[in-house]
Amino acid sequence: MKNLKYIFILIIAIGLTHCDSFEDLEVPNYNNPDLDQVYSNVEDYPSLLSGAYSTWWNHCIGTNPNFALAPASETMNTGYGSWGATPYYRIPREPVPNQDGDRVLYPTCGGWFGYYQAIPTVNNILNKLVNDGLTVVIGEEDHTTSTLAHAYFLQGILYGHLALLYDKGFLVTENTDISSFDFEFTGYSSMMDFAISRIEQAIQICESNTFTDPIEMMPGNTFTNESLGRLANSYAARLLAYNARTASETQAADWGKILAFAQKGITTDFMVTSQPGWKGLAIERDPYSYLDVTLWGWTRIHQRLLNMMAPDDPNAVYPWPYGVSTLGEINSPDTRFDEYFTYNASIPWAKYATSKGYHIMSHYTFNRFSDLYDWGVGSVPFFLTTENDLLIAEALIRTNGDKGMAAGLINKTRVTSGNLPAADASDTNLMEELYYERFVELLMTYPLSGYFDRRRTDVEGMGLYEGTVRHLPVPYHELVIHSYDIYTFGGAGNEM
Amino acid sequence: MKKTPNRKGNFIPCSDKNIFRIMKISALLLLVCLLPVSASTYSQTKRVSFKVEQATMKETLHKIEQSTEFSFFYNDNLLVSENKYTLEVEDELITDVLEKLLSGKSLDYVINDKVIVIVPEKNQQTYTQQKLVSGTVCDDQGISLPGVTIRIKGKNIGTTTDPDGYFEIQAEIDDVLIFSFIGMREQEVIIQDYTPLTIVMENDLLRLEEVVVTGVVAQTQRKKLSFTVEKINSDLLQTVPAANLANSLTGKVAGIKISNNAGSPGADADIQLRGATAIFGSSNPLIIIDGILTEGRLSDINSEDIESIEVVKGASASSLYGSRAANGVIHIKTKRGSNLSSGSTEINYRSEFGASYIPFTPEKTTATNFIVSGGAVDYNTPSADGIYDNPYPTLTDPVGQFFNPGSYNTNYLSYSTNSQDGRTSLFGSLHYTDEAGVVKLTDGMQRTNFRINADHWISDKIKVTTSNLYSQSTIDQRAGGIWDLFYYADPDVDLLAPNEEDGSAYNVDPNHNNPRLANPLYLINNSKNFEERTRFLGHYAVQYKPLDYLDFSLAYGIDQISRNSFSLSPKGLLQADRDELTYGSIYKSHNNTTAQTVQVDGFFYKKLGDFLTKAKLQYLYESNEYSYFAGSGTHLAVKGMDVTSLEQASEDINISSYESAIVANNVSGVFNLVYKDKYIFDALIRQDGVSLFGANVRWQTFYRMSGAWRVTEDFRIPGFEELKVRASYGVAGLRPPFESQYETVGLSDGTITSPVAIGNADLKPSFAKETELGLDASFLNRFSFTFNYAHSFNTDQILEVPVSATTGFATQWQNAGKLESHALEASLKANLINSSDWNWDITLLWDRITQKVVELNRPGYAIISGGIFRIEEGQDFGTLYGHKWATSLEEVANQVPEGMAVEDYFTINNQGFVVRTTTIGTVDEEPIKIKDDNGNDKEMVIGSVIPDFNMNLSSFLTYKNLELYMLWGYQQGGETYNHMRRYMMINGVSSELDQTGKPDNEVKSAKYFDRLTSWNNSHFVEDASYVKLRELSLNYSLKENILKGFLGIERIRLGIVGRNLLTLTKYSGFDPETGKSEEGVDSNVLKFDLSSYPNYATVSGTIQITF
């Protein structure tokens, strides 16, 4: 038994002198890959770009800033909930908060961090393909050109959306050494110029090559050089047109270039199938959360839009009369009114709305695409041919082109869907008729089309409410990190 | 209980209490260093046989060692020049043999059990000049006490009492004998003559002699600690044993806070010791159970098994546990058979049966602001004046319909035994609890626990100990997510009405005011949502004591937790807000945690002159593996409640999984030095190598330095038995979350999405660096007082720091902040009455803890509810932020139109709010928010959750066999944000809206209240001060003298137990202690009241039978 003591002493001696021989302290994280793993296999690059598309997509139609700017555009209402959104649509308008909110749910943050999140993936892949000369060979097939085209297109639309939303941003490309980057801002015009130049590079690749994507880049979309090229052209037109902050900037835009892009644009609706990982509900945070647009009928069509479609009906009075909590159903000459919207007088919503202000009262919920918005079934109509048509029509009008053709494009929905009197080239309010179609037909396709339209339109009475922000400030977090002063926009005289 | 100790071996426990064992060890260790006094009874009866030829004295002694279990200690110089001789001994007393051996050699011996010290005869001669003092020691019941330590003050002389409580010691007149015994108050007796003494030891009501083992080098009496270690003994825990052990800690230690994030049966509680140490991350302490470093919390542990709980609050004491211990340590020891005396057996049965109920519910309005006509509320037509003064034609009691007194039932059976030779002991218990909670139709929690603790001495020097707990519980979670649906039910709804659609029970859409809100009873009745949890806790140790001053141990511990969750919302249910039937949804998940430790300890104990030294070296290996997976989906294939398969789902299929592993190698050394029992010095250093630390900083150091001075050992202070001052400085740590050091890129549904977090190879643990100053005093033989001041910096806070968007990453985990805490703690224990029939003990605890974020190397940020809590450099940790309603005209001076005086433009109304003067008494009257100079509502501090102080008072009053126990809690100050009240106002059901019976000039309109319901504002910050009667019990014991051996029953204890019976507070919600755990901050910090299962009261009757 006494020998045991030597055994114990031995065990302790081994224990204390051979700590390093115990289990290694290097423990891998199997839950998520790191960048080395991600970029180690060139065959994965198309898949990585697909991931970057999903990041872009989920922030395009996600909660922020859409939840704030859609009601600020007075096309949709939130009805309830804030997350910093209320100052964007409260009357009178006021400076919007730019503080330490949630990086996803806060209006100033969602787009900024969302779009920038995808940019390094694109930059890294461009760097590997362009600067390092790698080729994407999957099986025995070379997919380098399609990968490059997608990378340029993605880089363009990511910076394009940042330019649309923010007054300025950091321009970081595949040629930027982030460790020595000076973090000087680039203004929204210059940033959009860069974005368009990259989309043009994508278009050029599509026009000079023939390819089919090796994978489905976005749900329901396996692109060819032709379909990607068309989408890129339409997108370039959309970005160039919507980048204007004011009517004068709209008039100063290069409409000839917009026309050229749009005329080479999409011929079928660009839609993304709703599936896990790809948000299917516009202004969605989580499925079936209370930030959904139509679930429970909390979010309504803005009374201003209803008034535009039924100007003579007293129940469509705009602004909503103070102290009134209920108005009757509206009769509109536009047959789409009853098709797209549903009357719902339920008291709870009105009750919340009164505490937020009568300016957001409305009884109409959005019924178009209800399967999609209520249940996530189907595809999200993100870029309709109607939008492309109307961009062509607007460009024709603004470039003194064929107004008859423009009227015809307007009538494609105005007459066919709305049963309204046909627009004519001679109409003095042809641009108003065009914007009417934009507000009705594009509602909730791209959630911010209404906001961008009101921001840029030169049609009297269709613009943003006085004091509404015309773009967002760089988020608080980013300014603090680089020791910039905090600033914001909003309120009369401080719109941009 | 038998009192026939039969002690054998150096530290075999064989007395009738665990404390006997501890004293036995103490006595032996003491004797090794003491001069000879007397042989023990045991040794005097021991016979030996051996034979030596031509052997030296050393060889002879060695021969005795080989053939017996005796060990000899001697100075080599004593035996250096002796002759060789032959000796044969056959079955002779060891004392006789020693006499023969040492005769004529100027040597003498000292013997204690199996330790024999050879000493020069001159020492003996010294003592022969002294006289033999003898006597017996017993307790106040007259039962003799074995193992009592007796020593002569100021001399290195001591002994212990034998199994009959008898002792002998050589002493001189005027020597002071000190009698000490665990659990008894130390006594000093001056020798005046040599008549036999009879010493009656009194219970140590103030627990001065109590021994602790947590955070120290070895078991140490509290009076010899140089830092704070609190101890809660089983008597206090068993009086009102809580189903959730965490709750039974409340009010028993100064500076402890317990919050029930979800108060439902079986839910874990958040425990905070001496404030929060982390801005991000749990403040829950490390919980050690019988040596097992556990991963889970306390909700699986039943109180009845607990022998004692030690609570280590500060970094000084907890630094021994290194990077796991900045939040403190709770060390639980469960009962063991070795606590019994040798050859005895005890069986305990305890049963408790009672009911739980909600003692308070927020009131609802009795009037509505809608038109009432034809005996019904017209919910489509608001009244013109918008005032809530139209009485509801019928008022129902949705609260009463929703809550239901639920049964509370526990049954407990334990069996303990200790073998005749004291070598083998066993403790086994079986415990079943069924706690229904307070929500109708729900099943609450059912838990079955099975414990076996077994100990065995393989030899006199080797002991094996094992502890095993298997726990299985099922927890009904259906009441978890439906609270908001309940609070806002109209005051006239009938939750029990059938559905008009299909006649099924519990009308799904009873709310007229807000049809979106479904009847929670319908949801509960038509769903499944439960968790099945199993847990195994095991600890296996071998102790080896080759020498009296040396001890080695090798231990393995395991904590294995498995949790399976299942929820089902069947296809075809009615929906409150839609005409369609539901498609159904299903969810399943599995979590598994296996945490293992291997620990090797080497312990040294030696008295060197006047210095008592203790030292320990320890190596600890830790391994923790966690895995999780879950699947869910909607649109189920078939209807019904029997659906269990995930394959039923056809839409929204979602799968997720996670796994992590932690490896740690830790080494530590602790050194403790006590000089003449007066001056105490303690130091430790620990190095942790942990896989969670960044690759560049994988080994981190923690340490402690502390000292204490027992003033009353140097100066006699009239009335004071003990006065000690102490100071310590210690550093402990908290580990980063698993994923924090890694560079990660997101994955979602088979797609690599985007970068998530930048890796950080320099990520260290956070450190709690605490200076503690303290004072311990006992005086007038009735009072003990402890005071602590602790100042700590919690540096290197582990925070997720946002990084520039241009990196593509969202965040990086960094050491990016510092918290500063000041803690004042005081406790006063008093034995107010102590007579043969009456005894009354009280304990008063007080603490005040303030905390501030003093450094934040990231932008300030806000959490919970869009930012009601703000983490900001320079702000208290626990600051409430939001908009504030003006209550003085100065606050709105910047809102007055040019040319007007503020007194004219604004007025303070009868509720104390500033309103526009012209609107008073009109429907447009509404409170005004404070604005900044740009006209924006000002974001500002609107409150603080930090209380001014907390107090707890426990009272233990006994009269003969009757025992009354109470525990009161008191919090002064501190605020809770009552978000539930806000939602009740929004939904038109809050009693605050009710204008019934108010004079015209006090009536407010709905618009007024609508305005008040704006997000995060000062109106819902409520004073959370309270006085609570937390525990109450009345027990009566029928003892052996009454039972007279009936059925072998030793004692029957009958009682009534109450928990959370009374709360006195101005707080308008269920409970001012409500908190919410979110975004990494626990519910002790975030006093935010929304959707929490409320704490409830329980009243029950108990019976305990001891055989």
Side-chain angles (χ1 to χ4, degrees), chain B residues 136-145 165 198-202:
Chain B
T136 54
V137 184
C138 62
D139 66 12
D140 55 5
Q141 304 292 312
I143 300 170
S144 56
L145 292 174
T198 300
I199 306 296
V200 178
M201 299 292 282
E202 294 180 356

Side-chain angles (χ1 to χ4, degrees), chain B residues 618-789:
Chain B
Q618 183 184 82
Y619 166 76
L620 172 66
Y621 164 79
E622 297 172 74
S623 161
N624 181 318
E625 292 180 348
Y626 171 78
S627 67
Y628 155 85
F629 62 82
S632 64
T634 65
H635 293 65
L636 306 185
V638 300
K639 292 182 177 180
M641 295 288 279
D642 296 328
V643 170
T644 58
S645 166
L646 288 175
E647 283 81 353
Q648 289 275 353
S650 59
E651 299 272 345
D652 304 314
I653 306 293
N654 191 16
I655 51 169
S656 57
S657 66
Y658 183 84
E659 61 183 85
S660 64
I662 302 168
V663 178
N665 288 312
N666 318 294
V667 288
S668 59
V670 202
F671 178 70
N672 182 275
L673 190 68
V674 180
Y675 176 70
K676 287 188 171 178
D677 265 3
K678 299 175 184 176
Y679 312 112
I680 301 155
F681 172 75
D682 184 281
L684 82 80
I685 186 164
R686 169 163 162 153
Q687 275 248 311
D688 281 15
V690 184
S691 63
L692 295 173
F693 304 160
N696 298 339
V697 288
R698 201 140 270 165
W699 284 86
Q700 293 294 320
T701 305
F702 307 88
Y703 57 92
R704 166 176 83 209
M705 297 276 281
S706 69
W709 174 33
R710 298 181 68 200
V711 179
T712 40
E713 292 292 307
D714 273 334
F715 303 102
R716 177 172 291 275
I717 304 173
F720 276 78
E721 295 87 56
E722 176 80 32
L723 177 64
K724 181 180 70 182
V725 292
R726 51 188 160 76
S728 61
Y729 178 78
V731 178
L734 283 181
R735 296 173 179 176
F738 172 74
E739 64 277 5
S740 56
Q741 66 175 299
Y742 302 102
E743 179 181 86
T744 52
V745 179
L747 278 176
S748 175
D749 299 294
T751 304
I752 291 172
T753 53
S754 45
V756 177
I758 301 178
N760 187 352
D762 296 318
L763 187 68
K764 293 185 290 189
S766 66
F767 296 94
K769 301 175 178 175
E770 185 191 71
T771 304
E772 181 188 87
L773 303 174
L775 177 150
D776 302 300
S778 62
F779 48 97
L780 302 177
N781 283 325
R782 286 184 181 275
F783 301 95
S784 75
F785 176 74
T786 296
F787 175 79
N788 292 313
Y789 166 68

Side-chain angles (χ1 to χ4, degrees), chain B residues 535-547:
Chain B
R535 189 166 182 190
F536 177 73
L537 286 165
H539 189 260
Y540 312 93
V542 179
Q543 286 176 270
Y544 172 53
K545 191 173 179 61
L547 300 170

Side-chain angles (χ1 to χ4, degrees), chain B residues 199-213:
Chain B
I199 306 296
V200 178
M201 299 292 282
E202 294 180 356
N203 284 332
D204 178 27
L205 301 167
L206 305 176
R207 303 191 187 285
L208 297 176
E209 313 300 319
E210 202 164 57
V211 166
V212 298
V213 297

Side-chain angles (χ1 to χ4, degrees), chain A residues 15 29 49 109 127 162 272 291 345 359 383 455 491:
Chain A
N29 175 14
L49 290 176
C109 302
N127 190 40
L162 285 164
V272 175
L291 296 185
H359 51 276
F383 205 138
R455 172 170 85 172

Side-chain angles (χ1 to χ4, degrees), chain B residues 28-293:
Chain B
L28 175 72
L29 293 171
L30 187 64
L31 277 169
V32 168
C33 308
L34 292 182
L35 292 174
V37 182
S38 64
S40 74
T41 305
Y42 168 76
S43 305
Q44 286 172 336
T45 58
K46 190 71 181 173
R47 294 180 174 277
V48 295
S49 301
F50 66 91
K51 179 181 178 184
V52 291
E53 291 180 3
Q54 291 301 305
T56 64
M57 176 71 83
K58 284 182 185 177
E59 289 165 343
T60 307
L61 296 180
H62 184 63
K63 186 74 177 177
I64 297 173
E65 282 184 329
Q66 284 182 322
S67 61
T68 69
E69 294 169 351
F70 288 110
S71 297
F72 287 93
F73 292 85
Y74 47 81
N75 186 325
D76 278 350
N77 295 331
L78 292 177
L79 309 180
V80 69
S81 60
E82 56 181 305
N83 297 325
K84 295 183 177 181
Y85 51 84
T86 298
L87 181 66
E88 183 167 2
V89 174
E90 186 67 38
D91 195 28
E92 290 186 37
L93 286 170
I94 184 70
T95 47
D96 293 344
V97 176
L98 289 171
E99 292 291 343
K100 281 184 194 172
L101 277 172
L102 302 179
S103 175
K105 296 186 175 61
S106 300
L107 292 173
D108 204 346
Y109 66 91
V110 180
I111 184 167
N112 184 64
D113 282 350
K114 285 161 277 187
V115 178
I116 300 169
V117 185
I118 307 299
V119 294
E121 195 172 40
K122 61 180 179 181
N123 287 336
Q124 184 67 14
Q125 287 169 351
T126 301
Y127 294 114
T128 55
Q129 295 166 6
Q130 302 172 336
K131 299 285 187 178
L132 188 72
V133 177
S134 64
T136 54
V137 184
C138 62
D139 66 12
D140 55 5
Q141 304 292 312
I143 300 170
S144 56
L145 292 174
V148 175
T149 300
I150 301 124
R151 58 194 167 88
I152 299 175
K153 194 169 188 177
K155 296 180 178 177
N156 290 332
I157 301 173
T159 187
T160 57
T161 54
D162 71 7
D164 299 320
Y166 179 78
F167 72 93
E168 290 177 350
I169 190 166
Q170 296 284 345
E172 298 174 40
I173 297 295
D174 293 335
D175 271 352
V176 177
L177 294 188
I178 301 172
F179 295 80
S180 52
F181 191 82
I182 299 303
M184 301 284 182
R185 199 161 68 212
E186 193 171 270
Q187 281 197 47
E188 294 188 1
V189 175
I190 301 172
I191 303 299
Q192 294 172 332
D193 54 41
Y194 292 100
T195 53
L197 296 168
T198 300
I199 306 296
V200 178
M201 299 292 282
E202 294 180 356
N203 284 332
D204 178 27
L205 301 167
L206 305 176
R207 303 191 187 285
L208 297 176
E209 313 300 319
E210 202 164 57
V211 166
V212 298
V213 297
T214 313
V216 292
V217 62
Q219 52 190 7
T220 304
Q221 283 174 292
R222 286 183 60 194
K223 66 184 182 184
K224 292 182 186 173
L225 283 173
S226 50
F227 40 78
T228 312
V229 179
E230 305 271 5
K231 186 166 185 176
I232 306 169
N233 284 305
S234 71
D235 51 357
L236 196 54
L237 293 166
Q238 306 308 335
T239 305
V240 183
N244 187 339
L245 183 56
N247 290 331
S248 60
L249 297 173
T250 306
K252 299 192 174 76
V253 174
I256 194 168
K257 265 190 193 175
I258 313 288
S259 282
N260 291 302
N261 187 27
S264 52
D268 281 318
D270 280 327
I271 303 171
Q272 190 187 85
L273 305 174
R274 201 177 269 174
T277 52
I279 296 174
F280 176 91
S282 166
S283 289
N284 282 287
L286 168 66
I287 292 170
I288 303 172
I289 301 175
D290 290 332
I292 306 159
L293 305 183

Side-chain angles (χ1 to χ4, degrees), chain A residues 57 218-221 270-274 278-279 372 378-382:
Chain A
W57 171 258
M218 288 184 266
N221 291 279
F270 169 65
M271 307 172 84
V272 175
T273 308
S274 171
W278 297 75
K279 288 182 177 176
L372 178 71
S379 295
V380 180
F382 187 64

